[in-house]
Amino acid sequence: MESTQIKGIFIVVIAAMFAVYLGVAAATAQTEAIAWVAGFMGIAFILAMGKNIWMLIPATTSLIGSINALPGSPPVWGVAAAVTAMMYILRVAMRRSNFVFRLDWVDLAIFLQVLAVGQAWARNPAGVMLLGGDSAGGKSYFVFSAAFVAYFCLAITPATFKQIKIALILTIALMLGDGMISIVGDWVPSIASAIMPVYSNANFNVATTGSADWNLSEERGGGGFSILGRAIVIPLLCLYRPLSCFSPFRPVLFALTTGGGIMMLLSGFRSGAAYLGAVFVMSALIRRRFMDIAVMGLLGVLGLALLMISGQLRSLPFGVQRILSVLPVDVSAAARVDAENSSEWRFEMWRLALFTDRYIRNKAFGDGFGISAREMQAKLDQTFGHSFQNFDIQDQMLATGSYHGFHVETIRFTGVFGLAMALLGMAILFRKSLQLVRFYRGREEFPWVAYVCIPFLLYPFWSMLVFGAYRFEFPQFLALAGLLKMLDNLRLAELASATEQAPKEAPAPVRGNRLPAPAFASSAPRTRGA
């Protein structure tokens, strides 16, 4: 009997025994049966992906939530990074690796962040409650470590552009699914309560109270509208000419972009709406379509003027009025006050954090990600919606390090040193993104390159001037820098191939150090005499 037949019989026997076990467990322990099925399906999926397992990293960075079903609630992309690293280690052990090792400026940008986070941990070591110990808060160190591992895995992967495109398509698909989950979790309490024990991207209040009584005329539409709106509009603005997304002559693009934009307006998040505008402008700039910006600006002014003339601004949903409150237009007092209080509330948090020693003790090198007893109490109060220590919401956010400002959060955790390293790293990635945009502009690969590079072109300005989160967003930003390295590897390989294939001209023969004879010199022999 051949070895393949033995393997086949062995697999059939094991599968039959497992099927019998699941049949019994389905009636006696349904949760356990589901866990086993999910686990084996996951293992089968990982094995099926094989050397393309790296695609899980960029794809899962689009998922906002974390896995509540696992201890410590790790982010999905962190689990994907760990799985990819383990598969790569197995490939090295089996001597089947063909990784690419090349150092450049992008690696320096990541190494600077390793220094910033490493010094914060060395000065303020912290563990995690899951592993025991006297201090907590160490989960953030694990998250940053996962980001560094994810970057390394992507940076050494020899991928083709077709594979990168497939990974980006998978990213967009998961991002759309995540937005739909978020909306359902906002509006359907039964589904929210079912999702929450497994995945965190569901409305906690809706899941715990069993009520989803949203009134769009008096309050914002919830985060689900913002997440799904971004998931729809941002890929379209990156992959297509921005103005064409608003053209009625392309009905599918027009319908999708308009629908996503309406969702963003209903959410009431001014920063989310502003980010869509920033993506539009950047996409037009890198395509050198400056007229798109002028035309869209003119259309926006005309549309707003028509609304003002009609007198219907106050009848718009509350979220739309809140976004429009930044303009000198007639919106409801409640929407304007809510928006203005939000800005003042944020600036007040920054002043308390930066100019007092109550929340940040060491502003030069940061206080690390560790959590004191007071901060842990604030986290519990924030989670369960009440205050044991009579903290207000602002004090709770300050105590937990949530400042709604990238620069303040960075100083809190890694200090001014960490902020300098972050800014220098973002500048390096900005420059690399520009280099890739210039190289691929006008080629069929450009739309996908734009989709990868636009976030890196915007983030340095957006995180500092509008909104950024060092503890939650920045690790994903660092992990995705691996895609820049992959694209740059393809660029350099193409340049090297073009150099090798270029015809080489033979050098002209030179006799010693003598100069060539002048053109007027005669080749006839000279005669002597008069």
Side-chain angles (χ1 to χ4, degrees):
M1 185 176 293
E2 298 180 358
S3 61
T4 55
Q5 294 176 333
I6 296 174
K7 292 179 182 178
I9 294 174
F10 179 76
I11 292 174
V12 170
V13 171
I14 294 297
M17 294 174 61
F18 186 67
V20 172
Y21 168 77
L22 287 181
V24 175
T28 59
Q30 295 182 357
T31 304
E32 183 180 351
I34 293 174
W36 276 102
V37 171
F40 275 93
M41 288 180 62
I43 294 174
F45 179 73
I46 291 171
L47 295 177
M49 293 197 69
K51 64 180 181 179
N52 295 320
I53 191 68
W54 63 267
M55 293 183 182
L56 292 178
I57 296 176
T60 52
T61 53
S62 62
L63 301 178
I64 296 176
S66 55
I67 306 176
N68 289 338
L70 295 180
S73 298
V76 184
W77 62 267
V79 176
V83 171
T84 303
M86 287 190 295
M87 293 294 290
Y88 279 15
I89 292 173
L90 290 176
R91 288 177 60 185
V92 171
M94 297 171 63
R95 298 182 180 181
R96 297 179 60 183
S97 62
N98 59 338
F99 300 125
V100 177
F101 295 94
R102 182 183 61 84
L103 295 177
D104 67 357
W105 287 99
V106 179
D107 301 298
L108 176 62
I110 303 301
F111 179 69
L112 294 177
Q113 313 318 311
V114 175
L115 289 179
V117 177
Q119 66 84 23
W121 181 83
R123 295 176 54 260
N124 306 278
V128 293
M129 295 184 66
L130 177 67
L131 301 178
D134 297 329
S135 61
K139 177 182 174 180
S140 297
Y141 293 115
F142 284 97
V143 172
F144 269 94
S145 299
F148 301 143
V149 170
Y151 167 78
F152 181 75
C153 291
L154 293 179
I156 64 174
T157 301
T160 63
F161 198 92
K162 181 179 180 180
Q163 291 173 323
I164 296 176
K165 181 179 176 180
I166 293 173
L168 295 178
I169 293 174
L170 184 60
T171 301
I172 296 172
L174 290 182
M175 185 164 52
L176 291 171
D178 200 41
M180 294 177 184
I181 290 174
S182 184
I183 282 189
V184 172
D186 281 343
W187 291 86
V188 185
S190 60
I191 296 181
S193 60
I195 294 173
M196 185 59 67
V198 180
Y199 183 59
S200 66
N201 190 22
N203 193 303
F204 181 80
N205 291 329
V206 173
T208 54
T209 62
S211 174
D213 188 18
W214 295 93
N215 188 348
L216 296 180
S217 62
E218 297 180 0
E219 57 185 350
R220 291 183 288 178
F225 282 128
S226 175
I227 296 171
L228 185 56
R230 285 170 59 113
I232 294 173
V233 177
I234 290 178
L236 297 178
L237 294 179
C238 294
L239 297 176
Y240 298 92
R241 179 179 174 179
L243 192 60
S244 68
C245 296
F246 296 91
S247 172
F249 298 104
R250 305 190 70 172
V252 176
L253 278 180
F254 178 76
L256 290 174
T257 308
T258 303
I262 292 174
M263 290 182 185
M264 181 59 70
L265 291 174
L266 290 174
S267 73
F269 289 101
R270 294 174 298 169
S271 59
Y275 189 76
L276 295 186
V279 171
F280 181 97
V281 172
M282 183 59 70
S283 181
L285 289 176
I286 64 176
R287 285 178 166 84
R288 297 177 177 174
R289 299 287 186 174
F290 309 112
M291 187 58 67
D292 288 13
I293 303 173
V295 172
M296 197 62 195
L298 179 61
L299 292 176
V301 171
L302 291 176
L304 186 60
L306 291 175
L307 279 175
M308 294 175 63
I309 293 173
S310 66
Q312 299 297 316
L313 281 174
R314 286 178 174 264
S315 62
L316 293 174
F318 182 85
V320 181
Q321 294 189 56
R322 190 179 187 276
I323 291 177
L324 295 177
S325 65
V326 298
L327 303 174
V329 295
D330 183 28
V331 297
S332 67
R336 188 174 298 279
V337 169
D338 182 76
E340 292 175 353
N341 289 344
S342 175
S343 299
E344 182 58 32
W345 181 69
R346 181 181 304 181
F347 297 149
E348 178 64 20
M349 282 203 302
W350 294 354
R351 286 191 290 267
L352 290 173
L354 294 177
F355 299 108
T356 68
D357 294 330
R358 182 179 179 185
Y359 300 101
I360 304 177
R361 295 182 297 275
N362 189 334
K363 296 181 176 62
F365 294 98
D367 297 335
F369 294 99
I371 299 177
S372 65
R374 182 176 183 275
E375 293 168 338
M376 179 57 71
Q377 183 65 64
K379 276 187 173 294
L380 292 173
D381 293 349
Q382 191 178 51
T383 300
F384 293 104
H386 54 82
S387 176
F388 298 109
Q389 300 290 342
N390 295 323
F391 292 162
D392 59 13
I393 296 178
Q394 186 185 71
D395 198 30
Q396 289 176 348
M397 297 190 69
L398 283 165
T400 56
S402 300
Y403 301 112
H404 280 228
F406 181 86
H407 56 299
V408 186
E409 280 197 18
T410 308
I411 293 174
R412 159 64 174 84
F413 298 120
T414 58
V416 175
F417 174 77
L419 179 61
M421 295 299 99
L423 292 176
L424 183 56
M426 287 190 287
I428 293 173
L429 298 179
F430 177 89
R431 183 177 179 275
K432 179 60 66 176
S433 299
L434 279 181
Q435 187 180 36
L436 292 171
V437 164
R438 290 172 182 146
F439 180 80
Y440 285 101
R441 183 187 286 123
R443 298 171 48 166
E444 62 177 354
E445 303 98 333
F446 181 76
W448 298 101
V449 173
Y451 181 71
V452 173
C453 292
I454 284 177
F456 292 94
L457 296 174
L458 287 176
Y459 195 74
F461 309 100
W462 186 262
S463 61
M464 293 297 295
L465 300 177
V466 183
F467 182 81
Y470 182 77
R471 181 168 48 179
F472 300 113
E473 289 183 354
F474 198 55
Q476 292 173 279
F477 177 80
L478 299 177
L480 287 176
L483 289 178
L484 294 182
K485 187 67 177 289
M486 297 177 83
L487 290 174
D488 197 48
N489 288 338
L490 291 177
R491 178 184 70 88
L492 293 176
E494 184 174 339
L495 290 176
S497 176
T499 303
E500 293 176 358
Q501 295 177 4
K504 297 181 180 180
E505 297 181 359
V510 179
R511 296 179 180 178
N513 294 325
R514 296 178 59 185
L515 296 175
F520 56 83
S522 175
S523 59
R526 297 180 63 182
T527 59
R528 296 182 179 181

